[in-house]
Amino acid sequence: MSTILTYLTQHQHDILADLERLAGAESPSHDKRAVDACGERVQALFADYLGVKAEVFPQTEYGNHLTFEIGSGAKKTLIIGHFDTVWDIGRLTLRKEDGKLYGPGVLDMKGGLVQAIWAVRALKELNLLTGRQIRFFCNADEELGSPSSRPLIEQIAPNYQTVLVPEPATANTGALKTGRKGTGRFYVHIKGRAAHAGNNPEDGISAIQEMSHQIQYLHSLNAPENGTTVNVGVACGGSKINVVAEEANLSIDVRVTRLDEADRIHKAIYGSTPVMDGIQITVSGGMIRPPMERSEATGKLMEKAKEAAGALGFEIGEASVGGGSDGNFTAALGIPTLDGLGATGAGPHAEYEHIIIDDLVKRSALLAELIVRL
């Protein structure tokens, strides 16, 4: 048995207990006080297990971001993980059932964060960090699209040769993620002219009627053969039933697998023109995350992950998925990035969010074994 796996197996109860404590510090992204309190628990884990203090990047609107440096040397690895969640306080409760741990953020992504801390602790305790510098970047706004942490990530990441992201593994298969779609959120405001719907409707210009034309146009931009999806998720307009609608609004979700498609969609949405005379259209928003495209360098990184899994007695696959992560930013910078190294389970952002308890040790060992091969 791998010495790393042996060490982590001896601490499997501690790993689970740490996850329960971290998940118990509920941290909805919009609640700065709660997120910062969770960040204090993250800092305690690093201090207790790795003997390092955080460099804190204070924020006013969001939770504070944290970085931790362990070791020194020419081989430099950046591990990125977030500790904010989508769950309001009290929405979910922690519970164990049938070998699974359910609760807010256990899968996305506090499980992966705890696994990563323990992976590096194993390397430290087994004297396997010689010549290596590992830096954790732990952010508090990932579920919001990383609005305040993205500039920090893009500033820090180029100083490292490899980026590892312990976001959840692919559901059902446990596969790592070598590709992710880029994500965008666009907003279209339509301005018409109000009028009485009974007395003088001809004097009005219906923003809702124009909205119907714009929805058809936006959905025509879909190109599933290229991995591009455009979805008008929210459409609303008007004020009263007997008034020709003066205003309407559309909220649009965009997913792309390629940078050229991101550019095409951006230009097409911002180039929207009215079908009806007298209508004004205003567009805002844009791409939040660029696509994470599988590169040759990422492919080589995946091969090392397969070797690491083989040393632990199992096989690991790869996948491209629709959701984005902070790994999208680093991959777009050209840095070899491997994602999905976190916990196994299912239900991120769903009420049944859970992890497979027995896989905590194995996945932590996978990350550690990969690091020693970098």
Side-chain angles (χ1 to χ4, degrees):
M1 179 184 288
S2 158
T3 55
I4 291 173
L5 182 58
T6 299
Y7 175 85
L8 291 169
T9 300
Q10 293 169 348
H11 292 278
Q12 57 185 347
H13 296 299
D14 299 320
I15 297 172
L16 178 59
D18 286 337
L19 173 53
E20 291 181 276
R21 281 192 290 270
L22 191 59
E26 297 183 71
S27 50
S29 305
H30 288 291
D31 189 334
K32 177 174 171 56
R33 181 201 59 79
V35 177
D36 284 343
C38 181
E40 290 177 2
R41 291 202 183 183
V42 172
Q43 292 182 63
L45 287 174
F46 278 94
D48 292 344
Y49 292 153
L50 297 171
V52 294
K53 292 184 178 181
E55 179 182 3
V56 180
F57 294 87
Q59 305 297 311
T60 55
E61 184 176 355
Y62 309 104
N64 299 332
H65 310 309
L66 312 169
T67 68
F68 306 86
E69 286 191 11
I70 301 96
S72 62
K75 298 180 179 180
K76 297 185 177 183
T77 301
L78 179 65
I79 298 175
I80 300 177
H82 67 90
F83 53 93
D84 62 316
T85 77
V86 300
W87 298 105
D88 291 334
I89 292 176
R91 183 66 180 82
L92 297 183
T93 56
L94 284 171
R95 62 184 173 90
K96 297 175 189 175
E97 184 178 315
D98 298 327
K100 302 171 183 176
L101 177 67
Y102 293 81
V106 292
L107 181 65
D108 187 12
M109 64 165 289
K110 293 180 179 179
L113 191 54
V114 170
Q115 287 173 189
I117 292 170
W118 272 95
V120 177
R121 184 186 185 190
L123 297 179
K124 180 184 177 189
E125 294 298 313
L126 297 171
N127 296 316
L128 295 173
L129 282 179
T130 303
R132 302 180 187 280
Q133 180 192 99
I134 296 176
R135 185 171 185 176
F136 281 78
F137 184 90
C138 303
N139 59 330
D141 64 352
E142 193 273 348
E143 296 294 1
L144 302 176
S146 306
S148 65
S149 59
R150 177 179 181 175
L152 293 170
I153 291 170
E154 293 179 334
Q155 175 186 342
I156 292 170
N159 298 312
Y160 293 84
Q161 296 145 347
T162 306
V163 175
L164 305 178
V165 186
E167 284 271 0
T170 306
N172 301 318
T173 66
L176 305 184
K177 299 169 182 178
T178 53
R180 282 184 177 272
K181 285 190 175 184
T183 59
R185 292 178 182 176
F186 293 80
Y187 305 92
V188 174
H189 176 71
I190 303 168
K191 180 70 180 295
R193 185 168 64 229
H196 194 289
N199 291 336
N200 58 323
E202 68 280 0
D203 292 336
I205 305 173
S206 175
I208 288 180
Q209 184 178 351
E210 178 67 32
M211 179 174 70
S212 69
H213 295 301
Q214 293 301 319
I215 290 173
Q216 292 298 316
Y217 168 69
L218 290 164
H219 278 270
S220 76
L221 301 176
N222 274 285
E225 69 279 6
N226 294 328
T228 300
T229 59
V230 179
N231 178 64
V232 178
V234 179
C236 58
S239 57
K240 293 181 175 61
I241 192 171
N242 60 347
V243 177
V244 175
E246 182 177 17
E247 294 183 306
N249 293 283
L250 301 173
S251 298
I252 306 119
D253 177 272
V254 173
R255 309 278 167 152
V256 296
T257 59
R258 301 184 341 221
L259 285 169
D260 62 334
E261 279 292 280
D263 185 58
R264 177 181 75 86
I265 296 298
H266 183 94
K267 290 179 179 177
I269 295 179
Y270 268 85
S272 299
T273 56
V275 173
M276 300 166 56
D277 291 339
I279 289 287
Q280 297 176 21
I281 291 178
T282 304
V283 180
S284 59
M287 295 303 297
I288 298 171
R289 287 190 172 94
M292 175 182 173
E293 300 184 62
R294 190 187 192 280
S295 65
E296 181 180 351
T298 298
K300 292 179 180 178
L301 191 53
M302 184 65 210
E303 289 304 312
K304 292 182 179 180
K306 290 180 178 179
E307 292 176 9
L312 297 168
F314 66 96
E315 296 182 353
I316 195 78
E318 63 179 288
S320 180
V321 298
S325 83
D326 290 326
N328 290 51
F329 301 136
T330 60
L333 294 173
I335 305 166
T337 301
L338 192 58
D339 205 332
L341 285 157
T344 60
H349 300 193
E351 290 187 356
Y352 61 92
E353 177 174 352
H354 66 269
I355 63 151
I356 308 300
I357 293 173
D358 284 347
D359 284 350
L360 279 171
V361 165
K362 181 174 74 172
R363 300 294 294 201
S364 182
L366 174 65
L367 181 57
E369 289 282 358
L370 173 59
I371 290 172
V372 299
R373 286 167 171 74
L374 297 178

